[in-house]
Amino acid sequence: MPKPGIHPKWYPDAKVICNGEQIMTVGSTQPEIHVDVWSGNHPFYTGTQKIIDTEGRIERFRRKYGMGAGGGKASKQQKPQSEQ
């Protein structure tokens, strides 16, 4: 049993509003919740998301850490075994 007088007021039918339009109702401690993004206008969920890879993130990573053909710190010439 919750203690009386310490909990905020509960609004079982709080309105979620995006761009001045009511999207849905949820339970909340605020009567109205204003949001900028929701699944109905987010590019990932609407299918309009574009992945832009201008610098080639994977190639840059491989170059930086010497993986693959790009070279890098790990691909520098090492001393032969007899000179060590």
Side-chain angles (χ1 to χ4, degrees):
M1 184 101 185
K3 290 184 178 181
I6 63 167
H7 297 285
K9 183 173 180 179
W10 182 253
Y11 298 94
D13 294 322
K15 300 174 186 175
V16 178
I17 299 171
C18 182
N19 296 331
E21 181 179 331
Q22 181 178 343
I23 305 302
M24 65 181 90
T25 58
V26 294
S28 177
T29 58
Q30 300 175 356
E32 288 185 350
I33 303 169
H34 294 272
V35 295
D36 295 328
V37 179
W38 65 292
S39 62
N41 67 359
H42 191 280
F44 179 79
Y45 294 104
T46 59
T48 59
Q49 180 180 22
K50 296 180 183 177
I51 298 174
I52 299 172
D53 189 11
T54 57
E55 192 174 341
R57 293 179 186 171
I58 295 171
E59 289 78 18
R60 184 177 49 156
F61 176 85
R62 287 182 178 161
R63 257 193 336 266
K64 183 175 181 180
Y65 294 104
M67 301 169 142
K73 292 179 184 176
S75 67
K76 291 183 180 177
Q77 291 183 348
Q78 297 178 357
K79 293 182 182 180
Q81 290 286 345
S82 61
E83 293 180 5
Q84 288 183 351

